[in-house]
């Protein structure tokens, strides 16, 4: 037997059953069984007392007492069930059997001290236990270790594939562990990180002697997952660093210095300075930069982007900056254009709605090198858009661009441009550490000074009048207000109708004020006009759907009312809220919801009212939705770990990352004798699965 042995060769499984197990559980080899980890464990070393039960217990538990009053009860259409009382010194519960034979009924031991074990249900204040396991032998009942419970189903049980079956098979397999696997981590590493061996870990994950053993086994197995995953990325990155050349930007020149000294409208925050230094260090090298810039909404990423582009320019290169939507691209263009107004640096905007005549100019100026900075949507990816010398590509909002699109940017220059990816939705650190291991990460973790945290409140329909009055007061003070409505995706028509009705309500209530509207059905030019009307201050109120989610910057808007807030995701709510709090005034975000909220909606709303920290919010979001959903479904497989939990295991992931970094600086080819077993394991692990598994 080895790890790849098909399961039909395991004692107790024939070809028939093997086929069934393969089909239902996807288990095909001995190794699959080994990594079919228990869902949980049962502690049979403890006897519970009925009188101590306060609620329905989560797990199966054991009692000691007597069965009495066994009887058959008819119910339904001629159906019968078997019922009995079970008493210990502290209370009584009901035992129930829905399926039983006469033989089984006769076997039930009455009026003598026995042990029962099973799941306790609470219904109408009464405790009951369906289909209890009964044990008369005290020695057998009190089992001195944790019993593994495997995920099963009725379908499987019918074929005899129940928990007992899994226990037997795994007991069989774990007996042979020393023949099946060998240690894959060097001794020193294990010692330093207090990791138990791989073989004991696999034994104790299935049959832990106690919780202490379980914890150690669990930690070791999680560590392996994190470690070898990071090792894969680490090697890939190393490979990239040494083979993908980039244009070195050694200089800081006139463009940067002039701007920095004469046009910078504010002092950079320390975080902005630090991040800029990290970027600059990267770009000095003749190696392509691949950096992720994380920063909360409003942390000032645009300025960092601009300064980075000025460095590119000082070194004789063009830059482009790409945003996922037309509105956002427009906003970026506006702010960059405004910041550069006292310089002679040329910047242009290219989107789907750019006029042909303008396009022609852009194409020409890009080729001649006259145009230093191009801002746009993915229109910039089109083949016809050719640069003289593209040295830097900045991508805003990573989530919406795929890897393929990144690759297209690479191809825009003979030597690929440096890449800076910016995300406005912070990604939980653990996720960034694992998923974006191929990117270096910079974090702006500090807001510009003088920002007042946005006050967020939860309100319901009955509070509407006071919410509207509050909004009116703010308008009287000279502020502007957003009202945001969710998109009803199933019905754009309904959505539109809904928005129109609300628009009417608002115009009526806020009589004499100018109300403008923004929604997905409008043409780009109409959207622009509506935005402009609001941004210029001519309209006090903007009624919008989520099209305003990204980028919109109107500093005088200080109140955002989000309608049906329970229908928005957390990161979306956070993004929306980021549209206020951009000026000097105290800003407010009011989350309107219906009275009835699901548990998850309540958590989302509560999180929003409690914190403004995008990183904290992303952590909660990941707990609610799981890492796969946060990254987008196509990418979820990438973080499909068996044991490792990206939400809870940040510490292990960090330890593994540090260990990988140390390893790759001391032995980048994994050729040291103490690392050979690791190397072999790694190669086997990624055999055929990964094109970047090359260690020369
Ligand atoms: P985001 O990171 O969300 O893209 P922006 O770059 O749009 O944030 O910046 C938000 C606002 O903060 C802008 O109005 C910008 O001018 C301002 N800002 C950026 N950096 C600073 C700073 N260091 N001090 C003061 N204001 C700043
Ligand atoms: Mg931005």
């Amino acid at each position: 037997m080895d790890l790849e042995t098909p399961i039909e060769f395991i004692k107790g499984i024939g070809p028939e059953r093997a086929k069934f197990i393969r089909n239902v559980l996807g288990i095909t080899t001995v190794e699959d069984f080994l990594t079919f980890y228990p869902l949980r464990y049962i502690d049979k070393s403890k006897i519970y007392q009925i009188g101590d039960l306060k609620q329905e217990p989560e797990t199966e538990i054991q009692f000691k007492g007597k069965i009495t009053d066994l009887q058959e009860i008819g119910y339904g259409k001629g159906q019968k069930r078997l019922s009995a009382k079970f008493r210990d010194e502290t209370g009584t519960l009901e035992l129930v059997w829905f399926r039983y034979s006469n033989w089984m009924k006769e076997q039930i031991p009455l009026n003598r001290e026995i042990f029962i074990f099973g799941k306790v249900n609470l219904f109408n204040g009464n405790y009951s236990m369906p289909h209890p396991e009964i044990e008369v032998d005290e020695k057998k009942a009190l089992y001195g270790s944790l019993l593994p419970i495997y995920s099963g189903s009725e379908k499987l049980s019918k074929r005899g594939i129940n928990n007992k079956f899994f226990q037997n098979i795994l007991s069989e397999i774990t007996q042979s562990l020393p023949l099946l696997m060998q240690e894959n981590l060097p001794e020193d590493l294990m010692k330093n990180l207090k990791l138990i061996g791989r073989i004991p870990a696999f034994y104790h994950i299935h049959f832990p002697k106690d919780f202490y053993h379980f914890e150690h086994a669990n930690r070791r197995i999680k560590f392996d997952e994190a470690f070898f995953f990071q090792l894969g990325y680490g090697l890939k990155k190393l490979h990239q660093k040494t083979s993908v050349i980039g244009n070195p930007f050694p200089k800081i020149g006139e463009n940067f210095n002039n701007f920095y000294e004469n046009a910078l409208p504010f002092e950079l925050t320390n975080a902005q300075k630090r991040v800029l230094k990290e970027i600059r260090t990267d770009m000095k090298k003749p190696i392509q930069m691949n950096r992720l810039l994380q920063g909360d909404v409003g942390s000032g990423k645009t300025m960092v982007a601009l300064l980075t582009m000025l460095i590119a320019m000082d070194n004789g290169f063009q830059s482009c900056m790409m945003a996922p939507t037309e509105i956002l691209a427009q906003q970026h263009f506006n702010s960059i254009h405004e910041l550069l107004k006292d310089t002679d640096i040329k910047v242009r905007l290219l989107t789907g709605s750019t006029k042909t005549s303008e396009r022609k100019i852009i194409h020409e100026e890009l080729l001649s090198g006259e145009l230093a900075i191009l801002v746009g949507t993915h229109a910039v990816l089109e083949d016809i858009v050719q640069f003289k010398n593209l040295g830097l590509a900045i991508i805003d909002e990573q989530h919406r661009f795929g890897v393929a699109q990144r690759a297209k940017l690479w191809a825009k220059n003979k030597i690929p441009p440096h890449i800076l990816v910016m995300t406005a939705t912070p990604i939980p650190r653990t996720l960034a550490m694992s998923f974006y291991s191929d990117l270096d990460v910079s974090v702006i973790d500090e807001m510009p000074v003088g920002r007042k945290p946005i006050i967020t409140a939860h309100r319901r329909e009955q509070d509407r009048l006071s919410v509207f009055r509050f909004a009116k007061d703010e308008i009287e003070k000279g502020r502007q207000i957003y009202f945001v409505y969710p998109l009803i995706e199933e019905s754009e028509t309904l959505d539109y109708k809904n928005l129109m009705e609300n628009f009417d309500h608002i115009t009526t209530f806020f009589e004499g004020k100018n109300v403008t509207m923004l929604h997905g059905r409008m043409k780009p030019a109409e959207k622009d006009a509506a935005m402009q009307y609001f941004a210029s201050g001519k309209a006090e109120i903007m009624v919008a759907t989520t099209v305003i989610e990204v980028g919109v910057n109107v500093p005088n808007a200080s109140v955002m009312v989000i309608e049906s807030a329970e229908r928005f995701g957390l990161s979306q709510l956070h993004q929306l809220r980021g549209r206020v709090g951009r000026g000097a005034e105290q800003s407010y975000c009011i989350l309107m919801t219906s009275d009835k909220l699901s548990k998850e909606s309540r958590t989302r709303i509560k999180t929003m009212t409690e914190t403004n920290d995008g990183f904290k919010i992303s952590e909660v979001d990941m707990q609610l939705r799981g890492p796969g959903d946060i990254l987008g479904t196509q990418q979820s497989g990438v973080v499909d770990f068996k044991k490792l939990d990206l939400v809870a295991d940040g510490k292990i992931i960090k330890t593994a990352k540090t260990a990988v970094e140390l390893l790759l600086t001391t032995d980048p080819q994994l050729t040291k004798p103490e690392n050979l077993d690791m190397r072999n394991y790694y190669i086997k692990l990624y055999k055929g699965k990964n094109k970047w598994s090359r260690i020369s």
Side-chain angles (χ1 to χ4, degrees):
M1 181 159 75
D2 61 35
L3 288 178
E4 266 125 68
T5 304
I7 54 174
E8 51 258 53
F9 300 113
I10 300 172
K11 213 164 92 188
I13 308 178
E16 274 300 305
R17 264 200 190 175
K19 196 169 150 205
F20 187 69
I21 292 170
R22 256 198 311 273
N23 288 343
V24 179
L25 293 170
I27 294 177
T28 67
T29 63
V30 167
E31 180 167 24
D32 292 340
F33 256 125
L34 260 184
T35 54
F36 188 67
Y37 301 116
L39 281 183
R40 54 196 170 83
Y41 304 83
I42 285 168
D43 187 358
K44 274 207 176 180
S45 62
K46 189 169 171 194
I47 305 288
Y48 286 77
Q49 305 224 295
I50 296 169
D52 287 347
L53 294 177
K54 301 226 162 52
Q55 60 197 41
E56 215 172 79
E58 295 279 326
T59 57
E60 282 145 80
I61 54 178
Q62 182 158 253
F63 299 96
K64 182 181 183 180
K66 287 179 183 156
I67 301 178
T68 61
D69 305 287
L70 185 67
Q71 55 176 316
E72 273 178 327
I73 300 174
Y75 71 103
K77 292 192 206 103
Q79 306 211 56
K80 283 186 296 184
R81 70 182 143 102
L82 202 55
S83 161
K85 288 211 160 65
F86 179 85
R87 304 169 200 273
D88 68 6
E89 284 147 17
T90 62
T92 307
L93 56 79
E94 191 194 354
L95 304 181
V96 201
W97 293 263
F98 296 99
R99 283 156 300 170
Y100 59 95
S101 60
N102 279 338
W103 179 81
M104 201 201 92
K105 190 173 112 193
E106 279 151 27
Q107 298 300 308
I108 294 172
L110 296 176
N111 300 311
R112 56 183 275 215
E113 197 94 306
I114 52 130
F115 298 86
I116 60 160
F117 176 80
K119 177 83 181 81
V120 178
N121 297 325
L122 176 60
F123 186 71
N124 279 345
N126 298 315
Y127 290 105
S128 67
M129 183 188 284
H131 296 266
E133 254 179 53
I134 297 172
E135 183 57 66
V136 289
D137 183 345
E138 171 145 12
K139 278 202 206 86
K140 282 191 187 156
L142 285 171
Y143 195 84
S145 67
L146 302 180
L147 278 186
I149 301 296
Y150 297 91
S151 136
S153 66
E154 203 165 325
K155 193 170 158 197
L156 288 161
S157 292
K158 271 194 189 143
R159 305 279 292 250
I161 300 163
N162 52 20
N163 205 49
K164 197 82 208 153
F165 169 85
F166 286 119
Q167 285 176 14
N168 288 339
I169 298 293
L170 277 150
S171 161
E172 175 83 19
I173 296 175
T174 49
Q175 296 308 319
S176 320
L177 274 174
L179 301 174
L180 291 174
M181 57 170 65
Q182 62 187 59
E183 188 49 62
N184 58 14
L185 294 180
E187 222 165 278
D188 270 1
L189 181 90
M190 286 173 22
K191 221 164 100 195
N192 289 339
L193 301 179
K194 298 196 170 62
L195 292 165
I196 64 165
R198 187 164 151 77
I199 291 172
F202 272 94
Y203 183 79
H204 287 294
I205 202 70
H206 290 286
F207 302 106
K209 214 164 89 197
D210 49 33
F211 266 110
Y212 178 76
H213 282 80
F214 161 75
E215 298 266 333
H216 277 282
N218 200 33
R219 180 161 172 269
R220 168 63 206 255
I221 288 171
K222 286 181 172 187
F223 180 86
D224 275 22
E225 284 191 337
F227 182 85
F228 285 97
F229 180 79
Q230 308 261 5
L231 186 59
Y233 267 118
L235 285 166
K236 180 190 175 198
K237 195 155 77 178
L238 207 65
H239 179 77
Q240 218 170 58
K241 282 233 164 105
T242 47
S243 66
V244 177
I245 53 165
N247 287 301
F249 295 175
K251 274 201 312 203
I252 291 275
E254 215 175 282
N255 292 301
F256 184 96
N257 286 331
N258 269 346
F259 179 82
Y260 201 89
E261 275 148 34
N262 305 320
L264 196 66
F266 37 67
E267 168 90 2
L268 293 187
T269 63
N270 286 328
Q272 283 171 317
K273 285 182 191 162
R274 189 190 63 237
V275 159
L276 203 60
K277 217 184 248 168
E278 289 164 358
I279 292 171
R280 178 149 155 62
T281 310
D282 272 8
M283 297 196 307
K284 268 189 204 162
K285 300 177 194 157
I287 297 165
Q288 188 201 27
M289 170 173 80
N290 272 288
R291 191 166 274 281
L292 174 72
L293 176 57
Q294 285 217 68
D296 210 341
V297 189
S299 62
K301 294 184 293 290
T302 314
M303 182 52 79
V304 172
L306 174 60
L307 291 168
T308 306
M309 294 194 282
L310 294 179
I311 297 176
M313 207 182 159
D314 280 341
N315 288 275
F317 287 90
Q318 293 164 297
S319 305
C320 81
M321 185 168 177
M322 207 162 76
T325 65
E326 182 124 6
I327 291 186
L328 188 54
Q330 177 78 52
Q331 288 265 339
H332 277 317
F333 173 77
N334 292 348
S335 32
I336 287 169
H337 189 72
E338 172 69 20
L339 285 163
L340 294 178
K341 68 174 187 294
D342 294 329
T343 70
D344 49 14
I345 300 168
K346 215 174 223 178
V347 44
R348 287 193 190 272
L349 175 69
L350 178 65
T351 70
S353 52
T354 304
K355 290 205 181 69
T356 318
S357 53
E358 168 82 3
R359 266 172 204 264
K360 212 169 147 245
I361 298 173
I362 291 174
H363 293 162
E364 280 166 17
E365 288 184 351
L366 282 177
L367 269 180
S368 72
E370 198 181 326
L371 184 56
I373 297 174
L374 178 66
V375 178
T377 55
H378 33 262
V380 308
L381 292 174
E382 285 166 22
D383 291 332
I384 192 167
V385 182
Q386 296 288 329
F387 294 78
K388 179 180 182 215
N389 207 349
L390 180 66
L392 169 70
I394 298 179
I395 307 173
D396 200 9
E397 309 279 353
Q398 158 75 10
H399 283 80
R400 310 190 187 194
F401 286 108
V403 176
Q405 284 165 319
R406 257 203 266 166
K408 271 201 153 178
L409 274 171
W410 279 41
K412 294 258 176 223
N413 209 53
K414 210 180 273 158
I415 294 179
H418 295 297
I419 306 272
L420 183 67
V421 177
M422 305 198 296
T423 74
T425 321
I427 302 160
R429 279 166 215 269
T430 50
L431 201 56
M433 264 194 279
S434 25
F435 186 70
Y436 291 109
S437 292
D438 62 330
L439 299 176
D440 294 301
V441 181
S442 287
V443 182
I444 307 185
D445 50 7
E446 180 190 358
M447 286 290 181
V449 285
R451 283 284 163 79
K452 293 196 185 77
I454 301 161
I455 295 172
T456 302
H458 176 202
R459 294 287 182 272
R460 295 161 199 270
E461 207 42 53
Q462 64 261 31
D463 311 315
R464 178 164 300 278
L465 196 59
S466 71
V467 170
F468 274 28
R469 281 198 187 120
F470 174 77
K472 213 171 208 172
D473 287 348
E474 288 295 301
I475 294 174
E476 293 310 325
K477 288 189 208 156
R479 307 286 96 76
Q480 287 163 282
I481 318 278
Y482 291 107
F483 284 91
V484 183
Y485 293 85
L487 281 171
I488 304 162
E489 282 184 11
E490 313 89 71
S491 163
E492 208 182 303
T493 319
L494 219 107
D495 174 27
Y496 184 69
K497 189 165 159 268
N498 189 29
L499 192 70
M500 287 320 215
E501 273 169 18
N502 287 306
F503 182 80
D504 285 347
H505 284 160
I506 286 168
T507 23
T508 313
F509 186 90
F510 294 93
E511 210 197 323
K513 306 292 171 211
N514 289 316
V515 186
T516 182
M517 191 163 42
L518 195 64
H519 60 80
R521 274 196 175 184
M522 288 158 74
K523 297 205 177 74
E526 293 172 328
K527 281 187 198 165
D528 259 12
M531 260 323 294
Q532 211 40 51
Y533 193 48
F534 187 64
S536 67
K538 286 192 192 112
E540 291 90 350
I541 297 170
M542 155 86 71
V543 174
T545 57
T546 46
V547 285
I548 61 151
E549 187 184 337
V550 275
V552 173
N553 190 15
V554 181
N556 189 49
S558 67
V559 179
M560 170 169 288
V561 180
I562 303 179
E563 300 283 349
S564 305
E566 69 271 32
R567 291 182 30 201
F568 292 88
L570 246 186
S571 67
Q572 208 179 12
L573 286 172
H574 182 60
Q575 281 293 309
L576 284 168
R577 180 169 60 180
R579 300 309 112 211
V580 295
R582 304 200 138 225
E585 308 305 330
Q586 175 62 58
S587 289
Y588 303 88
C589 174
I590 299 164
L591 305 172
M592 299 293 295
T593 73
S594 60
D595 282 333
K596 273 220 162 122
L597 292 179
S598 70
K599 198 170 155 214
E600 202 186 307
S601 303
R602 267 206 308 277
T603 308
R604 285 197 298 252
I605 302 290
K606 188 159 167 274
T607 306
M608 285 296 293
T609 56
E610 280 173 0
T611 183
N612 274 299
D613 181 340
F615 282 100
K616 271 193 199 140
I617 288 172
S618 70
E619 297 282 345
V620 178
D621 199 25
M622 184 160 81
Q623 283 171 33
L624 292 177
R625 293 195 295 153
D629 268 355
I630 290 196
L631 291 173
T633 40
Q634 325 95 295
Q635 291 161 333
S636 62
V638 179
V639 287
D640 213 356
F641 296 109
K642 281 218 156 89
K643 266 225 160 276
L644 195 66
D645 177 347
L646 289 174
V647 177
D649 294 328
K651 229 167 113 185
I652 294 177
I653 293 170
K654 197 147 186 211
T655 308
K657 189 178 168 66
T658 313
V660 166
E661 279 164 1
L662 187 68
L663 171 73
L664 292 182
T665 46
T666 52
D667 186 15
Q669 302 287 340
L670 307 186
T671 46
K672 287 190 177 173
E674 66 268 30
N675 293 331
L676 282 185
D677 289 335
M678 175 196 290
R679 176 196 161 106
N680 290 336
Y681 175 81
Y682 173 82
I683 291 173
K684 226 170 122 194
L685 185 66
Y686 287 112
K687 190 177 52 188
K689 278 189 209 161
N690 248 309
K691 50 186 177 302
W692 36 263
S693 64
R694 31 189 140 150
I695 324 174
S696 60

